[in-house]
Amino acid sequence: MTTLDTRPGVVDTPPLFTIAEPRLLASRPWDVPARDQRWLVEAADRVGLLGRGGAAFPVARKLAAVRRGARVLVNGSESEPASWKDRVLMRRYPDLVAAGTALVGRALRTPRMVIAASDAPSVAALQAAALRHGAPIEVHLVEDRFVGGEIGALINGLNQRAAVPSGIRVLPHERGLDGRPTYASNVETFAQLGLLSALGPDAYAAIGAPAEPGTSLLTLHGTTRDGVFEVPHGLELRRLIGPHTGPILLGGYHGTWTTRDDLAVDRARLRTQGIGWGAGVVAVLPEDTCPVGEIARVAGWLAGQSARQCGPCTFGLPAIAGDLADMIVGEHVDTGRLRTRLGQITGRGACHHPTGAIGFVASGLNAFDADVRRHLAGRPCGRAVRGVLPLGAAR
Amino acid sequence: MSRLRMDWTRCDGHGLCARLLPEAITLDEWGFPVIEDITGVDPAAVRTAVASCPQLALRVEK
């Protein structure tokens, strides 16, 4: 493991580590040669590049779905409070982000490139990098809201409408920026494309897992060395987490708690195990914090993040958060009703927020079943809720 | 196979759909519809429910 020092002048970000060979976070600035759209599609396909925002959609397919003249939108809003990887990338490696953005923009002969971030330090770093590149990249500071980071909501906001998800989902490649076809992806995806162009597919694929070569950025919480990591795909989570035993959260606050201890950083395999990698948040809970309280705290936050457009989310998430709040202190909870509530919300909303939130809560209650039962029996554990899982802190 | 699709941003929980299509739609504790499979449900009844929604939140998708 390598610790990468904080560079002077960078506003406080978590520590940065790499396991094995650093790629995105290599110290040298990459020279990113121009490529055409076909080269990018073929290269992304060969290395099995997946989008890094959470949905893990194949980049080659998304890139092939737009024509020349499409707009380019880089989502750096990082609305997941437990994730730091995008901000670390934008603040410390803005030149790779700008180069990756310009690479895609040039390949598509785009009339417009936009990077959206929700924190001022990232915006400043990216603006300076765009100037250094001489690329006409617009860098926008957008509102920091969990649901606002959803791509439809982000596009609505950039198009001067309310920054909330649309009732009927329209994909960016059909109608995005300015109502025109747009290639939109997470900021790390653009950095990975820049790296792919710099290295070529063979060298890019020299590390990582066979099905998914290369590396990913992730954010780790709850261990003795928390921070942002660049890791090669295929890395066993045990190596990342260390000696900790107990449930692991993968994918953040729309993610999944699991009690398995044989998992690896491998999006395809995790998916077959019913677990989404999301935006690469990995968390464990230390012994000295109440897991029910940690989950309840996040559940309350998730309820507050609803855009309040859809009934099941507006009413269901606060009701569930209320049940969990009662559970912390050992108050009576109608478990049958809680089960119904948890079972009824999935899939009922304009965006993924209610479904993702329920996945987090339900899997957490399962994974910490013994603690939950003790609380439900009116015997709360007495441990404090330390707030290991961060909520919207200073950006 | 056709499916009933909701625009959840429009639905205000009037509950008309559940009255008109009790075999396919129930309401949750806050009055918002829980939609089951509509295979085998009379298509005319489905059309009536869709057309009756005061918020125009329902549609049939093939």
Side-chain angles (χ1 to χ4, degrees):
Chain A
M1 188 182 73
T2 315
T3 305
L4 303 173
D5 287 332
T6 308
R7 293 175 196 180
V10 175
V11 194
D12 47 351
T13 49
L16 193 49
F17 308 97
T18 63
I19 292 181
E21 181 194 337
R23 281 290 185 77
L24 289 177
L25 309 187
S27 53
R28 66 171 151 151
W30 298 99
D31 179 23
V32 176
R35 309 285 187 179
D36 63 19
Q37 184 180 5
R38 195 159 148 205
W39 190 97
L40 285 179
V41 170
E42 284 174 7
D45 186 48
R46 266 187 62 196
V47 303
L49 185 61
L50 301 174
R52 301 305 170 84
F57 193 81
V59 171
R61 271 170 59 198
K62 206 191 253 189
L63 254 179
V66 290
R67 287 198 219 171
R68 188 178 280 198
R71 273 112 176 113
V72 172
L73 174 58
V74 183
N75 187 355
S77 60
E78 191 155 65
S79 44
E80 166 82 53
S83 179
W84 265 99
K85 59 133 182 136
D86 290 341
R87 279 169 288 166
V88 162
L89 182 64
M90 292 184 289
R91 292 177 188 185
R92 299 195 192 192
Y93 300 85
D95 290 280
L96 184 58
V97 172
T101 306
L103 167 75
V104 175
R106 193 185 285 188
L108 295 175
R109 308 203 183 224
T110 191
R112 196 173 173 212
M113 292 178 272
V114 174
I115 305 179
S118 65
D119 64 298
S122 294
V123 169
L126 291 166
Q127 275 169 340
L131 274 178
R132 282 194 292 277
H133 275 262
I137 299 172
E138 301 167 34
V139 185
H140 290 250
L141 182 66
V142 297
E143 201 190 342
D144 169 32
R145 272 183 68 187
F146 198 35
V147 166
E150 194 253 354
I151 196 68
L154 182 67
I155 287 171
N156 282 339
L158 290 167
N159 288 344
Q160 317 297 329
R161 301 159 68 142
V164 293
S166 300
I168 292 166
R169 195 154 169 249
V170 182
L171 293 172
H173 76 263
E174 293 165 344
R175 220 163 57 235
L177 283 177
D178 311 316
R180 307 291 301 163
T182 300
Y183 175 78
S185 196
N186 166 266
V187 62
E188 186 194 337
T189 313
F190 284 88
Q192 293 284 356
L193 282 167
L195 191 66
L196 181 58
S197 172
L199 296 176
D202 289 334
Y204 182 97
I207 62 170
E212 194 189 0
T215 63
S216 274
L217 297 179
L218 62 84
T219 315
L220 180 64
H221 294 278
T223 71
T224 49
R225 44 157 210 207
D226 288 355
V228 171
F229 287 71
E230 180 177 21
V231 303
H233 297 140
L235 179 84
E236 290 179 11
L237 285 178
R238 262 191 302 234
R239 276 196 56 200
L240 178 73
I241 292 164
H244 177 90
T245 54
I248 305 170
L249 171 68
L250 289 178
Y253 299 161
H254 280 173
T256 314
W257 288 95
T258 173
T259 51
R260 295 182 64 142
D261 62 356
D262 59 344
L263 300 173
V265 181
D266 182 336
R267 289 176 178 78
R269 217 171 84 205
L270 285 171
R271 188 170 281 183
T272 65
Q273 291 158 333
I275 298 167
W277 178 249
V281 169
V282 179
V284 293
L285 295 179
E287 285 293 319
D288 62 349
T289 189
C290 168
V292 179
E294 293 281 347
I295 292 165
R297 196 167 154 269
V298 173
W301 183 85
L302 286 165
Q305 290 299 309
S306 169
R308 307 186 72 78
Q309 295 194 106
C310 311
C313 184
T314 306
F315 298 101
L317 297 190
I320 289 165
D323 286 342
L324 266 58
D326 288 343
M327 210 185 282
I328 308 179
V329 292
E331 291 252 339
H332 172 74
V333 175
D334 183 339
T335 50
R337 192 182 62 180
L338 175 58
R339 208 170 304 124
T340 305
R341 288 173 170 177
L342 287 168
Q344 262 183 350
I345 292 172
T346 299
R348 292 166 70 226
C351 76
H352 183 65
H353 183 57
T355 303
I358 293 299
F360 171 90
V361 172
S363 65
L365 295 180
N366 272 334
F368 291 101
D369 180 51
D371 298 273
V372 168
R373 267 186 291 175
R374 227 171 300 144
H375 278 260
L376 283 174
R379 290 183 280 113
C381 63
R383 285 174 287 183
V385 182
R386 279 182 44 204
V388 173
L389 303 175
L391 306 183
R395 300 182 73 81
Chain B
M1 198 189 83
S2 54
R3 283 195 338 164
L4 261 186
R5 286 296 287 264
M6 285 285 300
D7 180 340
W8 285 103
T9 64
R10 285 174 174 265
C11 177
D12 276 345
H14 291 266
L16 227 57
C17 56
R19 289 217 196 175
L20 293 166
L21 273 187
E23 61 272 53
I25 300 178
T26 54
L27 298 178
D28 65 18
E29 62 181 291
W30 304 282
F32 291 91
V34 179
I35 301 172
E36 312 291 336
D37 193 4
I38 56 163
T39 352
V41 180
D42 175 15
V46 173
R47 277 197 300 274
T48 308
V50 167
S52 308
C53 173
Q55 300 296 123
L56 304 178
L58 273 174
R59 73 204 149 98
V60 180
E61 210 168 63
K62 299 227 172 33

